[in-house]
Amino acid sequence: MEEETKDAIRNRIREQRRTLRQEERDGVADAIEKELLSMKEFMDCKFFFAYLSHGTEIPTRAMILAAQEAGKIIAAPKVTGCNRMEFYPVESLESLRPGAFGILEPEGGEVLTPDMGKTFLLLPGLAFTRRGERL
């Protein structure tokens, strides 16, 4: 039996995600949000570093708003060079502007890093190994 390449697996998963019905997508997003908001690590963090969802990714808007309501400092990635991203503060979702690849980004400000205090990082992932490692 021939083993699928990483690219083939990623493409297959993207297609499966793309074809999810909206109610399935909403159910998955709600379950992830509920799980995240109940995590001790999330409740205890000062900084919430989150990706800004795009396309068929799990939406992060509600999670970011919940973190803001809980008084957390929100940071999101901004492309700052070739293969380089840095995290900048998100004052409000309305202040974000389309950046690289049309993905919303903060406009700038002080670069924030995870070592500035108790930080929770919410990172996107498409496919994982059976051991939970990103593929």
Side-chain angles (χ1 to χ4, degrees):
M1 176 192 264
E2 190 175 313
E3 194 169 314
E4 272 186 293
T5 65
K6 288 181 183 182
D7 284 340
I9 293 168
R10 287 186 193 111
N11 289 335
R12 180 171 47 80
I13 299 297
R14 269 190 206 96
E15 181 61 18
Q16 288 173 346
R17 185 175 70 183
R18 188 190 65 74
T19 60
L20 280 176
R21 293 187 331 263
Q22 189 60 47
E23 55 270 11
E24 290 173 307
R25 187 181 313 280
D26 292 345
V28 169
D30 289 345
I32 290 171
E33 180 183 342
K34 182 178 179 182
E35 179 70 22
L36 173 101
L37 297 178
S38 69
M39 294 175 73
K40 180 182 181 340
E41 295 83 357
F42 174 79
M43 290 186 268
D44 291 346
C45 77
K46 177 179 180 182
F47 295 92
F48 182 63
F49 284 48
Y51 72 97
L52 298 165
S53 53
H54 183 73
T56 61
E57 293 177 328
I58 294 298
T60 55
R61 181 180 182 83
M63 291 178 263
I64 291 169
L65 290 172
Q68 281 181 322
E69 288 175 19
K72 299 178 186 317
I73 297 169
I74 312 301
K78 177 179 179 66
V79 175
T80 58
C82 184
N83 296 321
R84 181 172 170 81
M85 287 191 304
E86 294 180 309
F87 282 85
Y88 289 90
V90 175
E91 300 305 325
S92 72
L93 293 175
E94 292 72 29
S95 69
L96 301 170
R97 299 290 174 254
F101 311 104
I103 299 171
L104 293 176
E105 296 180 337
E107 292 193 279
E110 175 190 0
V111 173
L112 301 177
T113 59
D115 62 354
M116 296 175 81
K118 281 190 149 187
T119 302
F120 189 103
L121 283 94
L122 178 64
L123 305 172
L126 181 64
F128 300 88
T129 66
R130 293 194 188 282
R131 293 192 322 239
E133 300 162 335
R134 280 179 82 171
L135 190 60

